């Protein structure tokens, strides 16, 4: 099953070939008073306990998307054979994603590596003509920064041929890996759009954590590489993924962080480590927990064991750098709903939450698909809708703490499109009591950006004025205990719209 995971990106590249032949204390002092940084998310970021803070000390949340391709034989993000890169970044921003994870291979740092499969017709990608792969990456970073987004660079593979279990191969030794990490850290030094580097994607057996073997101990390698990155740019975050197996317990490649409790990553510059897990559904591979008779109620315990405890024990921030699914099976739908809930809705918890980047923007990921459909333009509103409650456009740091709002009645609402056939769609709204006291009634409001209208609605009463809709509880589902949930569903038309932001009021 794990070998299949490693083939996913290679399959995406093959499809393309067929289609087209931390802010340090010293730096903070130097920058002047904190009020000089007005916008949430500004500057370089650093960690404090389980949170990530911006240059002004405001908590921020990574809520983003993977856009792959630089790690493949195309040596550039995919989809530029269909669209202009700026329009894609703008669309990501418009959907509420605030960060782009950019996978790459060391091949793009070789002299003269140029991108393949970019369409320049009709004025598309005009400013990318004649550039190397690294220079294209520069343009992507620059435009993301103009849009107010952040970028995390992901050393995905040693070369474009495929994933490696360890951080080095015979052809790409550790010295090359570290030299290239330092080169990228230096290249983007002073450009705080790039907030950090994911040191290596999905280490797996024989990679170990805490075993002490210099050749296989990923934790020790991450310390060597992390210190090298910080020697070139001490303000970057260092993202460290897990392994596959720890003390005989196996999980997803890169998804096992059990060893952190005993063997934490310790770097020369404090407050820079963010641990990263990957988690997937059955469209990628089967795992024992999917057949547990209590599924999906068992999943929070699984996640707690593998990586969630790091956040819950306030050890360090945790970033789910990859998670995705084709969303075709009921099991996968339940898995994604459970994981999104586990990641903590932004409305309730603000930036005191898990961080994430969904896999993927690209539709050509063979075992997950993407947020975009195969035309590289249309949004899969069902899949995107699952993520609505954990998006954090603009890096807002508000929200409550663990009690989700103290004694004041509070609720959150999550809007999920369950089916969309173009001329119409069905959606579900889940209301959760995020306070510590029962609520007796609730009201949910939203405004569509298009011309959608409710055609039928059940388990609530509604009014619609223009694009604005208000739904109030029915007699049987207004009372919700603390931590409990209720819901309603509706049909609407036309389909194809974006998922709106919801406001929930409780009494």
């Amino acid at each position: 099953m794990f070998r299949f995971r490693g083939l996913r990106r290679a399959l995406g590249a093959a499809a393309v070939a067929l289609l087209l032949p931390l802010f340090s204390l010293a730096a903070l002092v130097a920058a002047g008073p904190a009020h000089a940084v007005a916008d949430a998310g500004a500057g370089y970021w650093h960690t404090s306990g389980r949170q990530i803070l911006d240059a002004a000390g405001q908590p921020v949340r990574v809520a983003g998307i993977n856009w792959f391709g630089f790690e493949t034989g195309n040596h550039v993000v995919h989809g530029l054979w269909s669209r202009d890169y700026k329009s894609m970044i703008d669309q990501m921003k418009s959907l509420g994603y605030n960060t782009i994870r950019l996978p790459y291979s060391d091949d793009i740092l070789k002299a003269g590596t140029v991108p393949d499969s970019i369409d320049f017709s009709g004025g598309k990608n005009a400013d990318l003509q004649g550039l190397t792969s690294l220079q294209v990456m520069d343009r992507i970073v620059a435009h993301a920064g103009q849009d107010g987004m952040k970028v995390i660079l992901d050393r995905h593979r040693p070369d474009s041929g495929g994933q490696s279990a360890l951080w080095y191969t015979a052809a790409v030794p550790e010295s090359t890996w570290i030299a290239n990490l330092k080169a990228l850290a230096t290249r983007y030094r002073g450009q705080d759009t790039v907030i950090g580097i994911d040191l290596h994607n999905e280490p797996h057996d024989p990679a170990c954590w805490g075993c002490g073997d210099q050749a296989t101990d990923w934790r020790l390698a991450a310390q060597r590489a992390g210190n090298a990155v910080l020697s070139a740019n001490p303000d970057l975050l260092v993202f460290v993924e897990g392994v596959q197996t720890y003390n005989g317990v196996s999980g997803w490649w890169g998804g096992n962080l059990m060893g952190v409790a005993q063997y934490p990553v310790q770097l020369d510059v404090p407050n820079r480590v963010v641990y990263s897990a990957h988690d997937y559904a059955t469209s990628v591979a089967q795992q024992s927990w999917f057949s547990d008779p209590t599924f999906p109620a068992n999943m929070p315990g699984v996640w707690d064991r593998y990586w969630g405890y790091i956040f819950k024990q306030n050890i360090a921030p945790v970033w789910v750098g990859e998670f995705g699914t084709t969303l075709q099976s009921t099991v996968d739908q339940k898995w994604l709903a459970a994981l999104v809930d586990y990641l903590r809705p932004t409305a309730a918890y603000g930036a005191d939450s898990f961080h994430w980047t969904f896999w993927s923007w690209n539709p050509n990921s063979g075992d997950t698909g993407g947020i975009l459909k195969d035309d590289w333009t249309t949004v899969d509103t069902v899949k995107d809708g699952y993520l609505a409650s954990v998006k954090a456009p603009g890096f807002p740091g508000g929200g409550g703490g663990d009690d989700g709002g103290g004694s004041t009645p509070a609720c959150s609402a999550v809007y999920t499109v369950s089916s969309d056939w173009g001329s119409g769609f069905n959606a579900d709204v889940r209301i959760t009591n995020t306070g510590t006291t029962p609520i007796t009634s609730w009201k949910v409001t939203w405004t569509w950006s298009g011309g959608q209208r409710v055609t039928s609605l059940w388990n609530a009463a509604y009014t619609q004025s223009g694009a604005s809709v208000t739904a109030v509880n029915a007699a049987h589902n207004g009372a919700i205990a603390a931590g409990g949930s209720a819901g309603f569903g509706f049909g609407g038309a036309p389909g194809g719209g974006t998922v709106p932001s919801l406001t929930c009021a409780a009494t």
Side-chain angles (χ1 to χ4, degrees):
M1 70 176 66
F2 297 105
R3 184 175 296 110
F4 183 63
R5 281 281 294 114
L7 290 173
R8 185 172 74 234
R9 281 62 160 185
L11 289 171
V16 174
L18 290 172
L19 284 169
L20 288 170
L22 28 81
F23 202 80
S24 67
L25 179 59
L28 183 59
V29 171
H35 63 73
V37 181
D39 296 332
Y44 282 109
W45 296 357
H46 60 283
T47 70
S48 177
R50 70 190 194 182
Q51 292 190 329
I52 298 177
L53 308 180
D54 68 9
Q58 303 174 94
V60 290
R61 183 176 201 179
V62 174
I65 194 79
N66 284 270
W67 188 12
F68 67 81
F70 277 112
E71 83 284 18
T72 72
N74 299 92
H75 302 118
V76 71
V77 286
H78 288 176
L80 301 190
W81 55 77
S82 293
R83 291 180 62 187
D84 185 86
Y85 77 97
K86 294 178 182 177
S87 73
M88 291 235 255
I89 297 171
D90 293 347
Q91 188 179 21
M92 295 174 195
K93 172 72 173 180
S94 72
L95 290 172
Y97 299 103
N98 64 26
T99 303
I100 305 171
R101 179 177 182 253
L102 282 179
Y104 71 89
S105 83
D106 290 73
D107 283 350
I108 71 166
L109 286 101
K110 294 179 179 178
T113 300
V114 295
D116 184 23
S117 306
I118 299 180
D119 181 13
F120 300 111
S121 66
K124 290 192 294 291
N125 302 303
D127 59 336
L128 303 185
Q129 294 193 64
L131 301 187
T132 66
S133 294
L134 275 177
Q135 289 169 336
V136 173
M137 182 178 280
D138 293 343
R139 296 296 174 92
I140 289 171
V141 168
H143 194 75
Q146 290 174 22
D147 274 359
M149 301 177 74
K150 295 292 189 178
V151 171
I152 298 170
L153 303 179
D154 156 45
R155 195 279 191 147
H156 209 75
R157 302 169 171 173
D159 57 63
S160 61
Q163 180 63 38
S164 63
L166 300 173
W167 53 97
Y168 63 91
T169 63
V172 185
E174 178 175 308
S175 59
T176 300
W177 171 56
I178 288 180
N180 286 342
L181 288 170
K182 289 183 67 176
L184 285 172
T186 300
R187 187 180 190 91
Y188 295 111
R189 185 170 53 205
Q191 299 182 53
D192 55 32
T193 297
V194 177
I195 54 167
I197 301 179
D198 188 342
L199 297 177
H200 178 62
N201 186 66
E202 297 183 352
H204 53 278
D205 297 346
C208 60
W209 190 292
C211 66
D213 184 344
Q214 294 288 321
T216 57
D217 192 330
W218 166 237
R219 176 253 188 175
L220 293 179
Q223 290 185 163
R224 296 191 294 272
N227 283 328
V229 165
L230 294 173
S231 72
N233 183 353
D235 291 320
L236 290 177
L237 293 174
V238 174
F239 295 90
V240 181
E241 298 186 29
V243 292
Q244 177 184 351
T245 304
Y246 180 76
N247 280 351
V249 180
S250 293
W252 295 110
W253 287 3
N256 190 333
L257 286 159
M258 294 178 179
V260 170
Q262 185 173 357
Y263 303 104
V265 171
Q266 297 176 318
L267 300 179
D268 295 338
V269 181
N271 303 319
R272 294 295 179 272
V273 176
V274 178
Y275 292 103
S276 176
H278 289 186
D279 203 271
Y280 279 97
T282 63
S283 67
V284 172
Q286 285 289 339
Q287 298 279 10
S288 60
W289 42 81
F290 295 125
S291 57
D292 187 302
T294 65
F295 177 85
N298 64 315
M299 291 310 302
V302 172
W303 294 319
D304 281 350
R305 185 184 186 197
Y306 279 91
W307 44 267
Y309 76 93
I310 297 171
F311 173 85
K312 293 188 174 182
Q313 294 178 21
N314 202 38
I315 296 170
V318 176
W319 170 52
V320 185
E322 291 184 21
F323 63 107
T325 165
T326 59
L327 212 59
Q328 296 303 301
S329 72
T330 300
V331 169
D332 285 21
Q333 293 163 12
K334 291 180 178 179
W335 165 85
L336 184 55
L339 179 56
V340 166
D341 187 63
Y342 184 82
L343 295 178
R344 298 162 66 96
T346 303
Y349 300 104
D352 187 28
S353 304
F354 292 95
H355 305 269
W356 58 272
T357 44
F358 188 73
W359 188 277
S360 61
W361 181 247
N362 310 47
N364 61 326
S365 175
D367 50 10
T368 66
I371 291 299
L372 292 186
K373 295 187 177 182
D374 289 342
D375 63 2
W376 281 94
T377 299
T378 305
V379 174
D380 184 332
T381 56
V382 175
K383 191 175 289 186
D384 182 66
Y386 273 83
L387 305 173
S389 68
V390 289
K391 289 180 181 178
F395 311 103
D402 284 345
D403 65 1
S407 59
T408 302
C411 62
S412 65
V414 178
Y415 176 125
T416 303
V417 178
S418 55
S419 59
D420 190 322
W421 55 94
S423 60
F425 67 98
N426 288 323
D428 297 300
V429 176
R430 182 177 59 176
I431 300 93
T432 300
N433 181 345
T434 56
T436 57
T437 58
I439 61 177
T440 57
S441 64
W442 45 263
K443 178 175 68 174
V444 177
T445 57
W446 70 88
T447 300
W448 277 308
S449 58
Q452 289 75 27
R453 295 195 65 82
V454 175
T455 55
S456 62
L457 188 143
W458 48 96
N459 291 324
Y462 81 97
T463 58
Q464 180 167 354
S465 176
S468 299
V469 181
T470 299
V472 299
N473 61 273
H476 65 275
N477 63 358
I480 308 176
S485 297
F488 65 92
F490 66 91
T498 58
V499 172
S501 297
L502 272 60
T503 301
C504 187
T507 58

